[in-house]
Structure formats: structure tokens, C-alpha cells
Amino acid sequence: MYKINSDRSSGSRLSVILSLLLLLILLSGCTSPKEDNSVDSIKEAASANTPQQRVIEHAAGQTTIVGKPEKIVVLDYRLADQMLALGIKPYASTTYIGSLELPYLDNDALSGVIPLGDSANLEALVEIEPDLIISRDSKINDDLSKIAPTVILENSDDWRTGLIKMGVVLQKEEEAQQWIEQYEQKLDEARKLIAAHVKPGETFMYLRIQPKIIRLYGPNHGFAEILFSGLKLTPAPGIESISKAEQISLESLPSFNTDHLFLEVGNSEEDLEAQTDLEMYAATSVWKNLTAVKAGQVYSVPHWTISDYPLIKENSLNLIVNELTNVE
């Protein structure tokens, strides 16, 4: 009897030992993944703290941008225009006729931005220690690159492409595309508004008077691009064959004889020589007998409208709608 009881006790002790061993194995199996997960988390955190590097292809080659630039300098007010359209204000910018109060924007649009003058010097750039320089002049790329990473964004044939390129540099590609889509919607709305005030077949022309020069613009350039490509208004006869711009004489104006004339005078508001030329033209019978002049359908256009940049395009569109619909 005693022997039988002893065997049972030994068996019980063995079962307990085996159970404990099994439990230890299970516990060790459960803890291993936790240790691995902790290591992975540390690696992920370290990776997240590593500055991101991007290589940007541009007109002067390649530029590596590390992290997210905060102090961005633009060396052309039109590049500032692109940045503002994407919701970013530059840290510093060259000025436009001595000012950062761009005439087609609210006065505070570039408030707080460091003015660099109409043509920035390298010493001024060194002093402000930029994180990124964006310029349109590839000739000075080497000098600029010694100061900070530099991207050269030259003029694009299509301003929309230019905005998307800026979006790539600033990691705002989606915002660039959205801005363009919203602009196209505004064009659709503008066409409907204008159609109620302009008769079918009425013709349009965009003319610029410079000192001793009369320049006529074709349907794919600047302000004229909005009139003809954007709003689908009818160009005066002969304009469609003009690629960008063409110098014409006063005597040739009647051959176009447009119903509506958008007129820009000079290179700036202070261009007195161009103003004097306009007064001389306006006193001639050739000018007085133009259909648009007799109908009182000559509209003054500010000099900033000549450029192809997003906020310029948007404000030029507003100007056209206001003139043709008599909206103030």
C-alpha cells in the first residue's frame, strides 16, 4: 500500500514540474515579440527624427533640400506671387519698384517679409542666412548656391506649369493643382457673367503703348491669354496669327478695328513718355474713328497685368469682369 501511494506522489510531482516548465516556455514566447516591438518602435522614432532629403531638378541642375525650409528667399516678386497662391509667405523677397506692397494685392499680403531691394546683393543674402533661395536667374546660381540651397525656376510657357513646379519645391503639389482647378471654375463663372453684357461676335484687342512703340498681343500671352484662351472672347481680325506680341503702327490700327480695346500704357505708372505718346495718338482722326473709341469701350489696364503668374491672372480676370459687366 505504501509503495503504491509513493508512486502516485512521484507522478504528481513530475506533473507539476512539467507544467511549470511548459508555463515558462509559454511566458518566454510571449515576451519575445514585445522586446522586438520595442526595438522596432525605437527604430521608427529615430527614422522620424532624421531630416528628410529631397533632390529637386531645376533649370540650373539639381539641388538637395534637407528637411522643411522655413526661411525661404525669393529673388523676384512674381515668385512671391506663386508662394502666396500656395499659402506660404516668403521670409524675404526682392521688391517691385521699391516696394513689397504689390499693387494688385492687399497691402498686408507681404507684411513682415524682409525687403531686399529691386535687385538683391549677395551680402544681404548672407546676413539673413536663408534655408532656401528661389530665383529666376540661372546666371547667378553658382554664387547663390554658396549661400544656401538654390532652385532656379525660369519662366514656363504655361503659368500653370510654373505654379506646379513651385508646388514641387515647396511640397505643395496638391495645393497647386487645387488652385488651378478653382481658377478654371472662376473662368466658367466669368464667361456666364460676360455673356449677358457682350453681344455674340463682338471683338476684343489688348494693346500696349510704350515710348515710340505700339505693341499688339496675341491670344497666348499674358492678359490677352485670359481674354481669348480663358474667356473665349473673339479676337479682332488678324490677332490670332500673332504668336506673342507684334509691333504695329498707328496707321494700321483701323485694320483691326475692334469693338472692345483693353489698353496698357507704359512700363509703370510713372512712364510719362508713354502717356505723352498716347495723348498724341488720341488726338488723331485714326484713333478717334476706331469703333471701340467711338463706343466708349476702351478700358485702362494696369502695367502689372502683363505677367503670367497665378494671383496676377486671378486679379486680371476680376478686372476684365468688372469692366465688361460694369461691376464696381
Side-chain angles (χ1 to χ4, degrees), residues 19-295:
S19 297
L20 288 171
L21 287 172
L22 180 60
L23 180 60
L24 287 172
I25 292 171
L26 290 172
L27 288 174
S28 65
C30 291
T31 56
S32 294
K34 290 183 179 178
E35 292 175 1
D36 290 342
N37 287 339
S38 297
V39 172
D40 289 341
S41 297
I42 292 171
K43 288 180 179 178
E44 290 175 5
S47 176
N49 291 327
T50 302
Q52 180 187 15
Q53 291 191 1
R54 297 182 293 127
V55 177
I56 301 295
E57 301 273 354
H58 58 92
Q62 294 182 337
T63 294
T64 299
I65 299 177
V66 180
K68 184 178 181 181
E70 297 294 335
K71 297 166 68 175
I72 302 174
V73 172
V74 290
L75 301 186
D76 192 295
Y77 78 94
R78 291 164 290 192
L79 297 174
D81 181 303
Q82 290 179 329
M83 286 189 65
L84 291 174
L86 298 178
I88 301 177
K89 186 180 288 189
Y91 179 74
S93 173
T94 49
T95 52
Y96 174 64
I97 314 180
S99 175
L100 280 179
E101 292 186 359
L102 302 183
Y104 58 94
L105 298 177
D106 293 336
N107 290 342
D108 62 349
L110 289 171
S111 63
V113 175
I114 298 173
L116 297 173
D118 285 0
S119 179
N121 58 58
L122 298 181
E123 289 79 8
L125 290 175
V126 171
E127 288 181 6
I128 63 177
E129 300 180 338
D131 298 327
L132 176 65
I133 299 172
I134 306 176
S135 175
R136 297 174 62 228
D137 188 358
S138 59
K139 296 178 181 177
I140 59 174
N141 177 70
D142 291 343
D143 292 331
L144 296 176
S145 297
K146 295 174 184 177
I147 300 171
T150 299
V151 173
I152 305 298
L153 296 180
E154 295 179 332
N155 276 345
S156 299
D157 290 336
D158 184 352
W159 65 269
R160 296 167 180 83
T161 301
L163 181 59
I164 291 173
K165 286 182 179 179
M166 178 65 82
V168 171
V169 175
L170 302 179
Q171 294 182 289
K172 292 281 187 178
E173 293 174 76
E174 184 177 343
E175 288 83 350
Q177 191 59 51
Q178 288 175 349
W179 198 97
I180 293 169
E181 291 172 359
Q182 291 171 359
Y183 175 78
E184 296 295 338
Q185 291 175 359
K186 291 177 181 178
L187 281 175
D188 289 338
E189 295 169 1
R191 289 187 202 105
K192 296 173 184 176
L193 287 172
I194 292 172
H197 296 82
V198 173
K199 297 176 182 178
E202 288 188 3
T203 58
F204 289 79
M205 182 166 66
Y206 170 44
L207 202 66
R208 186 183 190 190
I209 293 178
Q210 296 172 278
K212 306 296 184 283
I213 293 174
I214 300 175
R215 200 176 300 277
L216 178 60
Y217 287 87
N220 300 312
H221 184 278
F223 190 86
E225 186 272 338
I226 306 174
L227 289 172
F228 306 126
S229 299
L231 295 173
K232 311 299 182 186
L233 296 170
T234 304
I239 288 181
E240 287 183 327
S241 62
I242 299 174
S243 175
K244 287 189 176 180
E246 186 176 292
Q247 185 174 333
I248 63 173
S249 65
L250 175 66
E251 291 72 24
S252 67
L253 274 175
S255 64
F256 301 99
N257 206 22
T258 186
D259 296 303
H260 299 267
L261 172 59
F262 284 89
L263 180 65
E264 178 184 350
V265 181
N267 298 315
S268 71
E269 294 177 358
E270 292 76 30
D271 198 334
L272 298 180
E273 188 177 355
Q275 290 286 350
T276 300
D277 286 348
L278 173 60
E279 292 172 5
M280 180 181 65
Y281 300 150
T284 67
S285 59
V286 171
W287 187 272
K288 291 178 181 178
N289 286 319
L290 293 175
T291 300
V293 173
K294 290 193 292 185

